[in-house]
Amino acid sequence: MFVIALTGGIGSGKSEAAKQFTNIGVPVVDLDVIAHELTAIGAPILSEIKNIFGHDFFNKDGSLNRTKLREHVFNNPIERLKLEALIHPAIHTKALEQLAENEHNSHPLYQILVIPLLFENNRYDDVINKVLVIDCDENHQISRAMARSQMTESEVKAMMRAQVTRATRLSRADEVIINNGSLTELSENISLIHKKFIKTCIVSK
Ligand code: ADP
């Protein structure tokens, strides 16, 4: 199984890039999507979150108040470790299951594994063959993240400070797509890198 880790800072265009890989038929496993599914209303892990963090982090309909919990753990490293200890192993198990299912069902030449915090976490090192970084300049990052999530500029900047620097990310990338232009340009760059990955996979088979 050939697995490309797709990563990048907040607002760099990871989800957009992942969507475009899906559009051209490459299987995508996304840790953020899995995290959402595992904490969707009625999911078993919610009762464990409630036991640890209390009812305050839940909406009236029983759904998780993600914004409140995110802010809480962002400002409390110990609380963040508690949440991660609960949720990361479950995400890991699910991600490996999905990769194996894709492999079994469609025998793809390669798959994309979206790992937003790849360099902050080494849990996936064993399954990754190459690292693709989606990068854009910080002004684009801030304005796109704000437009997408209703976060303020200072909230986006605080998230950026909590992540590894662009320089670190770029120094550890096997491939980089610069996403400073239009969505059409991003899509053209995805097609080019797709051809390159296909060639790499054929050669290494
Ligand atoms: P990430 O997943 O890395 O946080 P997203 O892919 O969600 O970032 O992108 C953030 C926002 O910017 C989204 O609304 C997305 O549609 C938009 N976006 C991403 N790339 C571009 C681009 N090249 N041109 C215009 N908008 C973009």
Side-chain angles (χ1 to χ4, degrees), residues 8-17 19 32 134 140-141 144-145 147-148 179-184 186:
I10 178 173
S12 59
K14 294 179 297 294
S15 310
E16 211 44 75
K19 213 189 292 171
D32 262 0
I134 309 295
H140 277 105
Q141 231 185 315
R144 287 176 185 160
R148 183 201 53 195
N179 183 24
N180 284 332
S182 64
L183 286 174
T184 311
L186 176 64

Side-chain angles (χ1 to χ4, degrees), residues 25-45:
V26 179
V28 171
V29 175
D30 186 327
L31 298 194
D32 262 0
V33 173
I34 294 176
H36 259 77
E37 286 167 2
L38 287 174
T39 53
I41 200 159
I45 223 165

Side-chain angles (χ1 to χ4, degrees), residues 3 39 48 50 54 58 72 81 84 90 117 128 131 143 167 170 182 184 193:
V3 175
T39 53
E48 295 180 60
K50 203 173 278 175
F58 287 79
H72 176 68
L81 286 176
E84 288 176 355
L117 299 178
I128 292 166
V131 174
S143 59
L170 292 173
S182 64
T184 311
I193 207 105

Side-chain angles (χ1 to χ4, degrees), residues 69-160:
L69 187 59
R70 189 168 46 238
E71 280 166 8
H72 176 68
V73 300
F74 192 75
N75 295 313
N76 296 282
I78 303 284
E79 296 288 283
R80 189 173 74 226
L81 286 176
K82 282 190 208 164
L83 183 64
E84 288 176 355
L86 189 62
I87 195 160
H88 280 189
I91 294 174
H92 184 250
T93 303
K94 194 80 195 162
L96 296 192
E97 270 173 29
Q98 290 188 1
L99 288 169
E101 262 169 42
N102 291 337
E103 183 79 7
H104 179 75
N105 293 337
S106 61
H107 309 291
L109 275 171
Y110 73 96
Q111 302 191 48
I112 295 286
L113 179 58
V114 184
I115 311 183
L117 299 178
L118 175 65
F119 303 123
E120 290 84 347
N121 139 26
N122 59 4
R123 200 181 279 269
Y124 295 88
D125 287 359
D126 288 353
V127 290
I128 292 166
N129 299 97
K130 280 195 183 297
V131 174
L132 168 61
V133 167
I134 309 295
D135 180 65
C136 69
D137 66 43
E138 293 189 352
N139 289 338
H140 277 105
Q141 231 185 315
I142 294 166
S143 59
R144 287 176 185 160
M146 284 172 69
R148 183 201 53 195
S149 65
Q150 314 301 325
M151 281 197 280
T152 64
E153 182 170 344
S154 60
E155 283 167 341
V156 175
K157 284 184 171 167
M159 300 267 310
M160 285 165 69

